[in-house]
Amino acid sequence: MLAGPGPAAPYADPLWYSRESSLYYNVSHERLGREIRAYVDEFIAPFADEWEKDGYVSAEALQRHAMRGYAAVSIFPLSPEHVPLDIPLPGDGKDRISGVIWGLSCGNSIGCPPVLNYGTPEQKAQFLPDVYASRSKFCLGITEPNAGSDVAGIKTTAERKGDVYVVNGAKKWITNGIYADWCTAAVRTGGSGKGGISALIIPLKARGVTRKKMQNSGVNASSTYIEFDDAEVLIANLLGNENEGFEIVISDFNHERIWLATTSLRLARVCAEDSYNYAIECEVFGKKLYGSQVIRAKLSSIGRQIDPASAYMEQLVYWMMVAHRDQNPKLRKIRHHQMGGLIANLKVMAGRVLENVTHEAQQVLGGTGYNRAGKGARVEQISRDVRVMGVGGGSDEILTELALNQEVRFLSAMAKL
Ligand SMILES: Cc1cc2nc3c(=O)[nH]c(=O)nc-3n(C[C@H](O)[C@H](O)[C@H](O)COP(=O)(O)OP(=O)(O)OC[C@H]3O[C@@H](n4cnc5c(N)ncnc54)[C@H](O)[C@@H]3O)c2cc1C
């Protein structure tokens, strides 16, 4: 019996929490889920509002987060022995809190995998243990003021002069950039297009680097504008070969998009929980709001959207783990590529589920869902954060196109076998 932790509101938790069996989860996952939930309830939830208002997660909280292993576990892959669905589970537990979760370890989770997957043994030894112990933090710097969807169009240059690269340009919307020590950045070392891009680990406390927090609608503890003005970076910080960095900086997109999808679906469950609890408590026209069929239809449709998307996510994560465990590096890479289109579609689907569900939950909550305090506060916060799901990590328009193209390519390759 996988009696998982959690509240009793319909659709507020994944189905495996309340059902007899699961294809993917076991008692160990259940224990992990409980531990994460207790951690969030004690150390994150009570402070989330304050951090969101300040625009920072406290240093003490970041330290605790890392010491409990969550900084390390957010970086994929940890090891070939990784058990299925360990990626969504930590995310699924933490992401009951909107906004500030972006400030906790999101930068590491996207900035470190290129180091882990493409770094030399020396680079891994230099950078990763400090991240695991919260002595340093990473971010990923791809997007620029004039290059977002078009990653191959980045303009930040890194010119080699002796033992250093001299970096000039700017990066925009960089998650955790404001307090990161290192930025795994896409820089131009060669000609135009993909073939002129390298991946460079830039020290953000170096001379010539300036950082400014950006004011977005939501996820306030996060986005940063970074400028490089003749910033010097040791050539030893180059990941892989010069002009072969495009593949490196985009290599973690599958993992990032699964994380975003998991976050969307967990936040949708928060909307399910808070709107249901409000409906059974609140009285209108002399009876409970829940007594209205039109309200119950909204709550039912919330579940109808979240649970199928969750099932699709679990299937894809399972395949991703199978790919990851393949001992043959070439086959492993092919398997991961085959997942790209499906994961792109999952991310779009989950983001749209969250948009729809947030809307319905706010309707159930009425004015309460538009207020930053009280019973609708979590849903109100989500309504500010939700837009990032359709843009960050690849916009809906770009991913929709990618999903179809990749599937067509995959099927035609299969037909030739
Ligand atoms: C909160 C947040 C956090 C982020 N964190 C990071 C980070 O840590 N690191 C990082 O590098 N980046 C980060 N980003 C940037 C993010 O990846 C980009 O915003 C995203 O890739 C889209 O780029 P853009 O905003 O420049 O939009 P653009 O590329 O300018 O596109 C604008 C609009 O046009 C559409 N569009 C573009 N091209 C086409 C086309 N060919 N056909 C049809 N429609 C098209 C897009 O879908 C979009 O709707 C973050 C963004 C946000 C909002």
Side-chain angles (χ1 to χ4, degrees), residues 95-173:
D95 298 346
R96 285 187 298 133
I97 309 295
S98 194
V100 296
I101 52 149
W102 288 71
L104 275 166
S105 53
C106 183
N108 288 335
S109 75
I110 54 180
C112 290
V115 184
L116 191 67
N117 293 319
Y118 292 90
T120 60
E122 293 74 27
Q123 287 172 327
K124 290 183 206 181
Q126 180 188 349
F127 294 110
L128 296 176
D130 281 350
V131 174
Y132 299 153
S134 190
R135 287 187 295 268
S136 81
K137 295 170 201 65
F138 265 70
C139 60
L140 179 70
I142 299 178
T143 308
E144 299 184 351
N146 294 308
S149 305
D150 181 13
V151 174
I154 59 125
K155 297 213 160 33
T156 295
T157 54
E159 197 185 335
R160 190 162 169 175
K161 287 192 178 157
D163 285 348
V164 294
Y165 285 104
V166 179
V167 180
N168 282 288
K171 297 287 174 185
K172 195 170 180 185
W173 280 300

Side-chain angles (χ1 to χ4, degrees), residues 102 106-107 110 139-151 171-177 184 214 216 218-219 222-224 253 256-257 385 387-399 401:
W102 288 71
C106 183
I110 54 180
C139 60
L140 179 70
I142 299 178
T143 308
E144 299 184 351
N146 294 308
S149 305
D150 181 13
V151 174
K171 297 287 174 185
K172 195 170 180 185
W173 280 300
I174 305 308
T175 299
N176 297 180
T184 305
M214 294 174 65
N216 295 329
V219 291
S222 165
S223 297
T224 311
F253 279 177
E256 179 180 359
R257 287 168 189 160
D385 295 337
R387 285 303 310 143
V388 70
M389 297 304 183
V391 176
S395 69
D396 281 5
E397 289 75 11
I398 297 296
L399 295 192
E401 188 84 350

Side-chain angles (χ1 to χ4, degrees), residues 376-390:
R378 292 201 300 178
V379 176
E380 188 279 335
Q381 165 86 54
I382 292 168
S383 76
R384 274 181 282 133
D385 295 337
V386 63
R387 285 303 310 143
V388 70
M389 297 304 183

Side-chain angles (χ1 to χ4, degrees), residues 5-56:
Y11 322 122
D13 274 317
L15 292 175
W16 71 274
Y17 279 36
S18 55
R19 295 320 196 257
E20 290 292 316
S21 62
S22 163
L23 279 177
Y24 307 112
Y25 300 103
N26 58 37
V27 178
S28 169
H29 294 102
E30 185 189 328
R31 277 204 303 269
L32 179 60
R34 283 185 191 284
E35 184 176 313
I36 295 169
R37 183 157 291 195
Y39 163 65
V40 170
D41 288 346
E42 183 173 357
F43 294 111
I44 299 182
F47 312 103
D49 271 356
E50 186 186 320
W51 296 336
E52 180 69 10
K53 275 185 208 126
D54 292 350
Y56 293 92

